Structures are given as structure tokens and as C-alpha cells.
Amino acid sequence: MNTASHTAFWDKLWALVGGVSVRTKILGIILALTVILGLGITWQVRAVMTRVFVAELGQRGLSVVSDLAARSIDPILLNDNFAVHQLLSDTVANHPDALYAFVLDNEGRVLAHTFGASGFPLALLDLESEVYGASESKRRIQHRIYSSNQGIVHDFSAPIFDGRSGVVRLGLTENRLSGIVNAMTGQMLLTTIVVALVGIAAASFLTWLLTRPILALVDTTHQVGKGDLSARAPHWADDEIGALADAFNAMAENLETSRQAIAEKDMARTQLLEQLITAQEEERKRIARELHDDVGQALTSLLVGMKVAGQLESAAEMRAKSEEMRTFAAETLEQVRLLSRQLRPSVLDDLGLAAALNRYAEEFRQRHPQFAVDLHFDLAGRLPPTVETTLYRIVQEAMTNAARHSGGGAVSVLLTRHDGHVRAIVEDDGQGFDVEGARRAGRSVGLHGMAERAELVGGHLEIESGGDGTAVYVEVTL
Ligand SMILES: Nc1ncnc2c1ncn2[C@@H]1O[C@H](COP(=O)(O)OP(=O)(O)OP(=O)(O)O)[C@@H](O)[C@H]1O
Ligand SMILES: [Mg+2]
């Protein structure tokens, strides 16, 4: 067999063996082992028993035939053929394996035999001349085996009176002993079949016990595969399969948790988007209102003032009016500046994050005079614009939250940069809050907005809150 066909053979065999169920495999193994063991032992015992029986039969034949030879000397010398016949008949009757016995005189004539009415089979004499022909052998006890229509026959011959008074012969058949061996073989084969049946029953039960948790696991896997992440595999026992079921369940649980997290995030993002759009509209409304109410009003007043000034006659009155209008214009300019700063702090673009946050802190102090604000920066130069904007907005939101919700009296901001990371920490000393609860409540645009902004620049945001305050940590890799 060359290598290619060798591999093909194993492939085929493996496909055949691998294709059947575990149950069939185990049943096959048990059945094969039982049958091989049963047949092997039966064959072995049969061979040994046959050998022992045949040897024993030979021993027995030799001793009986020599006994016959000794006991027939006297009747033969006395020419008492009847007594010889009687001796032969008794011997054959007392030995269950004896088939025949006869005595030949010196000339080879039959003196007495046990064949009865059917007569003496002359073929036996052929055997006589064939095997015992040599006069030399007439002086020794002989054992010869031949097969006849009555089965295998052991023929023994013994010289009478050292061969001077003829020969006595005895035929023993193996039939009875073969019968015993056959009966025993049948018994053992029956036992093998019973053991095989019991083995099959035990193996069936065992494989049912073994495959039940595996099939349950397969079932659960299908359910999970179809999207039912709440499906769990039953834990039948503390063995390897039990461990597998536990591991599978842990995996399904993780899947379920992460799917929930994704769903929550998705929902929050949608809400964020909606609220961002609303906030944008609100912002536009506010700017439009401020432009209309404040700047529009101021410019209208300026127009009116200019008209009045044009009609004034005294120079002193005109100076006073123009002074009044200058103050008015200056106020209006300040309002426009504030408005533009609120829209986008240009200082962030021009001077960087630290300066922008310093300015924001100023405004914060003005708005919340009861709050102590503490700033620490260790930034060493500018950061990428997107990171600056992100950190600015996050710190802004965290400070606003501290002022609005914490109920504390101080907020501190720490910005550091090292090894390509920027980290911002905003801490207050308020009463804290349930972060997960607020997030899950869904309406917390501020909290989600902070996290989203951090993620957008590849950063990471965490909020720790407890009885002694809240800390917001952001870390962005540059
Ligand atoms: N520093 C804080 N101390 C105590 N509670 C806080 C703090 N920050 C947030 N919270 C709580 O978390 C909730 C959610 O905050 P979030 O910033 O998302 O919303 P908001 O500030 O109420 O509204 P906005 O969307 O305008 O920011 C707040 O309503 C508040 O109850
Ligand atoms: Mg907020």
C-alpha cells in the first residue's frame, strides 16, 4: 500500500468511525470486547479440555487393555472361550467410552468379541495387519487413533502372555468426551451472549448518562446561537462536562451583559443626539432673542440718540449726549463679545486650554461666588485642538454639575500630562450620587456627553462618587 492510498484508507475509516454517535462508539467497543473475550476464553478452554480428555482417555485405554490381557491368559490357556467373552462383555459394559473389545489368537483368528448379532467387522482386521503387522510390535502395548462412522476411535492392543496367546484389543470412542466439551462450549457461548447483552444494557445506560448533559449543552448552544442569550446549560454533575457547562454559561452571561451595555449605550446615544439637536435649537433661539432684545434694542436706542443729537443746538448738550451714546455703544460691544465668547471661547484657540479654563474659572467664580475654585495645570505646551476642546467641555460640564448638584462648597481641577497621556481630574466635596443609577435613568445628557466626548478622541472617562464628594477622571492618549 503506498502512502496516498494508506492515507485515503485511514481517512475513510475515520469518516466512518467519526460519523457515528458517541453512543454507538461506546456500544461498539463494549460489544467487540465482550465478544472477543468470550470467544477467546471459550476457544482456549475447549482446546485445553480436549487435550486433557484425550490424554486421559489414552491413559485409561492403556491401563484397561493391559488389565484385559492379564486377566484373559487363564481362560485362553483353559480354552474357555465363554469366560473370555464374558470378560470382554463385562469390561465393555463397565466402561462408558468402550466401543468394542476382542481377542485374536496366535494365528489371527477371532476368539471372542463384543459385536453381538451384527457380526465382527472384518475391516478391523485390516487395521490389525496394517498397524500391528510387524511381529516385533506384537510384543508391546499399542495405541492407535482412527476415524470411523462412529467418530474418532482410540484402538488399544495388548499382547497376551507376551504374545504367545494372541492379542486383546479395545476400542474407546471420543464421543462422550466431545459431547461434554461441546456442552461446555455451548454453555460458555451462552454466557458470552448474556454478558454481551448485559454489557449493551449497561453501556446504553452509561452513554445515556454521559451524553445527556452534552446534548443539553448542544441544545443550549443552538438557543444562544439563535439569539436567546438568557438560555443556560444545566449543570448535571461536578465533572469535566459540568465544568464545560459552567464555562459556557459564564460566556453566555458575559454576552448578555455586553449586549445589554451596548443597548443602553445605543439608547443613550440616540437620546444624546436628540437632545443635542434640541439644545442647538434652544441655543439659536437664545442668541436670536439676545440679538433682538439686547443688541437690537441698544442699536435702536443709539439710532434714536443720534437723531436727537442731530437736533441739539448747544455744544454742551451735544457732548453730554455723545458721551451717553459712547457708554451705550461700549455696553453693547461688551454684550456682543460675551455672546461670542459663550458660543466659542476664542481664547481656547488663541492661548490654549489652561488660559481658557482660567478664564472660565473666573466667570464661574462670578456666577457662583459661594464656591471655592482651585485650578492646577501641568501641561507643558499646547495639545491637539480636538483634545483641548474635548477636555475644556468635559471640565466645564463637571464643574457645572458640581455647582448645580453636589451641594458642596469647593471644586478642584487638576490637569497633568506625562508619557503621551493627558489626565484631567475634577473633584467636588459634595454629597455624591449614584452614578450607575443616573446613567441608567437615561436623561443624563451631561454624563453621557462627557463619556462620549472622551471616547471620540480615544480617551476614557470614569466617575467615582461617594459620601465625601464626586471625582471625574479623564485620560486621553495623545
Ligand atoms: N457632582 C455631582 N454631585 C452630585 N450629583 C451629581 C453630580 N454630577 C451629576 N449629578 C447627578 O447626576 C445627574 C445627571 O447629571 P447630568 O450632568 O447628566 O444631567 P444634568 O446636569 O441634570 O443636566 P444637563 O444635561 O444639563 O447636564 C444630575 O441630575 C445629578 O443628580
Ligand atoms: Mg450636567
Side-chain angles (χ1 to χ4, degrees):
M1 222 191 276
N2 60 26
T3 331
S5 62
H6 200 78
T7 328
F9 169 76
W10 282 113
D11 283 354
K12 250 188 210 155
L13 187 76
W14 180 242
L16 200 74
V17 174
V20 298
S21 66
V22 173
R23 174 174 301 216
T24 315
K25 283 192 191 92
I26 294 182
L27 285 186
I29 291 171
I30 300 257
L31 200 64
L33 280 184
T34 319
V35 169
I36 289 173
L37 195 74
L39 291 185
I41 289 180
T42 306
W43 177 76
Q44 195 74 10
V45 168
R46 192 181 155 85
V48 170
M49 272 183 88
T50 308
R51 225 179 18 248
V52 169
F53 278 174
V54 167
E56 197 266 343
L57 190 75
Q59 290 270 311
R60 200 144 38 89
L62 290 178
S63 84
V64 171
V65 84
S66 53
D67 180 55
L68 266 181
R71 283 168 62 191
S72 51
I73 296 175
D74 282 350
I76 289 177
L77 289 182
L78 295 174
N79 262 334
D80 187 353
N81 277 0
F82 178 74
V84 176
H85 181 263
Q86 201 58 39
L87 179 64
L88 295 183
S89 301
D90 287 351
T91 307
V92 168
N94 288 334
H95 284 273
D97 300 318
L99 203 59
Y100 57 80
F102 59 88
V103 172
L104 302 178
D105 69 8
N106 248 343
E107 266 83 61
R109 285 186 306 252
V110 180
L111 281 187
H113 66 80
T114 56
F115 288 100
S118 58
F120 187 86
L122 290 171
L124 274 177
L125 294 180
D126 296 344
L127 188 76
E128 172 72 17
S129 55
E130 195 179 295
V131 182
Y132 305 111
S135 58
E136 188 58 33
S137 65
K138 278 191 178 168
R139 305 193 187 285
R140 291 194 291 126
I141 297 178
Q142 304 271 344
H143 177 191
R144 171 81 187 174
I145 301 170
Y146 67 93
S147 95
S148 74
N149 53 2
Q150 276 166 305
I152 295 186
V153 178
H154 291 246
D155 187 282
F156 302 88
S157 86
I160 302 168
F161 201 20
D162 280 342
R164 277 170 279 181
S165 301
V167 170
V168 60
R169 282 185 42 198
L170 171 74
L172 298 185
T173 157
E174 279 187 11
N175 283 353
R176 190 180 63 93
L177 298 181
S178 327
I180 293 174
V181 171
N182 285 341
M184 186 233 33
T185 306
Q187 198 68 33
M188 285 187 79
L189 287 180
L190 197 72
T191 310
T192 304
I193 291 173
V194 170
V195 168
L197 287 180
V198 170
I200 286 175
S204 292
F205 176 69
L206 209 75
T207 47
W208 174 75
L209 215 65
L210 266 176
T211 53
R212 185 179 53 157
I214 298 179
L215 292 180
L217 190 59
V218 170
D219 204 43
T220 316
T221 314
H222 281 315
Q223 275 175 299
V224 170
K226 279 183 196 148
D228 176 12
L229 294 188
S230 63
R232 294 287 178 274
H235 179 105
W236 295 101
D238 286 332
D239 56 5
E240 291 88 338
I241 301 172
L244 182 64
D246 288 348
F248 180 84
N249 287 344
M251 187 197 71
E253 197 138 343
N254 279 347
L255 268 179
E256 197 178 15
T257 320
S258 56
R259 191 164 77 168
Q260 255 167 16
I262 289 173
E264 268 168 27
K265 236 178 176 166
D266 235 36
M267 202 175 74
R269 200 166 272 184
T270 316
Q271 273 177 353
L272 186 68
L273 199 67
E274 272 171 18
Q275 296 194 13
L276 271 181
I277 293 168
T278 323
Q280 209 176 30
E281 282 309 309
E282 287 296 318
E283 187 80 349
R284 282 187 178 162
K285 252 193 247 167
R286 190 176 66 81
I287 295 165
R289 204 169 44 238
E290 257 168 52
L291 281 175
H292 175 266
D293 294 357
D294 296 353
V295 181
Q297 290 295 327
L299 288 179
T300 314
S301 307
L302 262 182
L303 277 181
V304 172
M306 277 154 111
K307 196 174 166 193
V308 171
Q311 287 159 359
L312 285 176
E313 265 147 47
S314 92
E317 270 179 337
M318 255 167 73
R319 253 202 310 277
K321 193 71 193 169
S322 87
E323 186 56 32
E324 186 190 312
M325 288 193 306
R326 215 179 58 81
T327 320
F328 218 71
E331 276 173 17
T332 312
L333 185 62
E334 189 48 42
Q335 272 178 1
V336 171
R337 277 196 185 133
L338 188 70
L339 201 63
S340 93
R341 236 195 346 266
Q342 282 173 355
L343 282 179
R344 162 116 201 135
S346 66
V347 65
L348 190 58
D349 297 328
D350 299 340
L351 302 175
L353 184 59
L357 281 177
N358 269 322
R359 168 165 293 176
Y360 177 72
E362 273 315 309
E363 286 175 20
F364 186 87
R365 281 190 192 103
Q366 277 171 23
R367 252 183 289 138
H368 311 282
Q370 80 282 7
F371 246 83
V373 183
D374 184 27
L375 297 180
H376 276 289
F377 302 122
D378 180 12
L379 285 176
R382 299 286 304 261
L383 302 169
T386 47
V387 176
E388 286 195 329
T389 315
T390 301
L391 290 176
Y392 180 82
R393 293 294 181 204
I394 290 175
V395 171
Q396 206 178 22
E397 171 65 22
M399 285 174 74
T400 310
N401 277 353
R404 278 171 64 193
H405 311 298
S406 79
V411 60
S412 81
V413 178
L414 177 67
L415 269 154
T416 50
R417 170 188 192 168
H418 52 82
D419 300 338
H421 296 279
V422 200
R423 180 179 296 162
I425 305 174
V426 181
E427 248 176 319
D428 66 49
D429 60 348
Q431 79 255 2
F433 71 109
D434 169 17
V435 182
E436 275 312 306
R439 274 202 186 122
R440 238 182 271 122
R443 284 192 316 278
S444 55
V445 176
L447 297 184
H448 280 300
M450 285 198 285
E452 291 274 317
R453 277 183 195 278
E455 270 172 33
L456 276 178
V457 290
H460 175 70
L461 182 131
E462 253 173 55
I463 302 177
E464 274 177 19
S465 196
D468 54 352
T470 302
V472 178
Y473 300 89
V474 202
E475 189 169 274
V476 180
T477 310
L478 296 173

